[in-house]
Amino acid sequence: MEEKKFDLNSIIGFVLLFGILFWIMYQNQPTAEQLAAEKAKKELAQKQAKQASKVVAPITETTLTTADSTELNALKSTMGAFAYSATLPSAKEQVTTLENNLLRLKISNKGGYITEAVLKNHERLKKGSGQLVTLIRNNNSQLSLSLKTQDNRLLQTEDLFFEPNLTKSGEDQILTLRLKTAADAYLEYRYVLKPNNYMLDFDVRSQGLSKVLNTAQPIDMQWDMQTYCNEKSVGYENRYTDIRFEYEDGKDDYTGQGKDSEESPNKVSFIAFKQHFFSTILLTKSPFEKAKLYSDNLVQDEEIDTLVTKQFKATIPLAFHGGELNNQMNLYLGPTDYATLKAYDRNLDKIIPLGWGIFGWINKFIFIPLFGFLSSFIAYGIAIIVFTIIIKIAMSPITYKSFLSQAKMKVLRPEINELSEKFKKDPLKKQQETMKLYNKAGVSPLAGCIPALIQLPFMYASFQFFPSAFELRQKSFLWADDLSSFDQIAQLPFHIPLYGSHISLFPILAAIAIFFYMKMTSGDQQMAAPQQEGMPDMTKIMKMMIYISPVMMLIFFNSYGAGLSLYNFISNLITIGIMFVIKKYIVDPEKIHAQIQENKLKEPKKQGRFQQKLQQMMEEAEAQKAQQKKK
């Protein structure tokens, strides 16, 4: 019985497929830096416990007046010229609320920054939890200016009291907060919240402070945030949480996932403290000359660190112009949703990792429009299935060409075996004769590999698209209550490294499908070239891959979003069906054999450049070998 062997083209395709799969998984896995020593874990746990125990101090109605002489004198000694603000009625910790149908913001007199930002239409963890997504709360975020005075004092605005003034212009809510040195000299924060909008205007300007502040050098604006967990999978959310920024007229980059990551871009137009599905973004209408960005991963153990994911810091110098500050900015606090961000026409959609080059183009111009159209009138789970069917049907001609090439190679296999036996002592001659046989028969050994390569960008694009699809968040399908997170069907009483402490069903189904797909390709499409001396036995390798691939699918996809696992399951099922139909009803080996024999009688097809170059290299190698024998 003739030994079965796997097609070289299929081997190349599978190696590339799994190479890209492993690379994708490696990119998305926590880095070695994230797996810190036990001591670091304990310290972090203590740190987070302390953070969790913090409670916003209750608003006090006690006004600091001249009667409070002791406190007033203390403030004057530390605040210098800004002690004037401490004598105002607003010198107390109270908040002003700005609210529209999407956002509720609370802004404190002390520091003049947002102390609470609630997204009114989005829930934490799971649908029906009753907990709204709150990007800012419990002092997890601060924005402060470092003010250098003429008498060499260094003051932080987070410690100083602003005087608020809330007005309306039509439906716009305008909050002006002034930190005064006198009635007509102040530092001003101005917030404008418009209806039906996640973005608000945020301006920082000064008036009459040139005699108080040292305006020879820029002042630093420090913006910090610890990002709270909003999804049920801490590790999955953390993989997509980082600082994204745009700089130098349209370039974009990010800080990375590890500990103590830093970037120092110039000409910065926005800085995004991006979480998986929600982001806080600072934009400027005139680019910041430079910025220093810092990101620190706070998740060392997903079983313990369940409160916060990252520590973000941005230090931005604000320059004086004519002795005054005048910075027009915006703040975005909302979903990391492609359609929502793109609608602002400020390049904010760049913060969503859709992939570079052709992968990003496939997502932007094919996947996003097609899935958006389908999900506009059918349920999201059904939309994923229909989406997958359309993509696979569109790719079916490529699948057909690949299978046809493999069938032709199978027909030629007996003749290739004869050449291998005839020239077994002269591998170079064997290769030359094999190439001549391919040319006469009109068969290209690369014809089966190229279609597989064409499909790879679509596979990689899907790995970027589904984890970034905000519209899948908290959308249910069958047993999955959230297509953007894992579809748990059982909780394990223990934790398995890499796998987790739960069992997801869609990855199991996808693993079964890929097992039968590889079984089909390794069992029915055995048309590879004969085993080469000194080369590994590809048959054994592929038999191992039949079992390794499903296991890898189970391990890596167990904590991935159910939407991606569903896509892979349906994709493999459809591929199996298409290959079955092609083999059973379309490709006829006898007709292929007759066509090849007919091609042999015709004038050999003109070789392509690659074949000509390969033939030339073989002839040169043969000539060198003959020359060496003469010597």
Side-chain angles (χ1 to χ4, degrees), residues 354-364 456-458 460-461 464:
L354 296 177
W356 51 270
I358 188 173
F359 312 117
W361 300 338
I362 290 172
N363 276 323
K364 289 181 181 179
L456 290 181
F458 286 84
Y460 179 78
Q464 300 296 108

Side-chain angles (χ1 to χ4, degrees), residues 392-409:
K392 296 305 291 185
I393 290 177
M395 301 294 288
S396 60
I398 297 174
T399 305
Y400 169 74
K401 287 184 178 294
S402 179
F403 191 88
L404 181 62
S405 174
Q406 292 171 346
K408 289 180 179 179
M409 293 293 292

Side-chain angles (χ1 to χ4, degrees), residues 217-221 245-249 263-271 282-293 315-321 325-329:
Q217 296 179 340
I219 62 173
D220 286 339
M221 180 169 68
F245 55 93
E246 185 183 58
Y247 67 109
E248 294 179 3
D249 299 323
E263 294 289 340
S264 299
N266 297 319
K267 301 293 182 182
V268 179
S269 48
F270 70 70
I271 300 166
L282 178 67
L283 306 92
T284 177
K285 296 177 181 178
S286 298
F288 303 123
E289 284 298 318
K290 59 182 180 179
K292 184 177 180 181
L293 308 176
T315 302
I316 307 162
L318 301 182
F320 288 91
H321 298 281
L325 293 172
N326 189 13
N327 294 86
Q328 295 181 317
M329 297 176 285

Side-chain angles (χ1 to χ4, degrees), residues 501-521:
S501 57
H502 66 274
I503 298 175
S504 298
L505 183 53
F506 277 130
I508 295 175
L509 297 176
I512 293 172
I514 198 172
F515 172 80
F516 282 105
Y517 165 71
M518 295 194 70
K519 196 78 172 174
M520 174 186 289
T521 56

Side-chain angles (χ1 to χ4, degrees), residues 1 22 143 165 174 342 360 412 416 558 582:
M1 183 177 178
F22 293 151
L143 186 144
N165 182 34
I174 304 171
K342 191 171 179 60
L412 284 178
I416 295 173
N558 190 59
I582 290 174

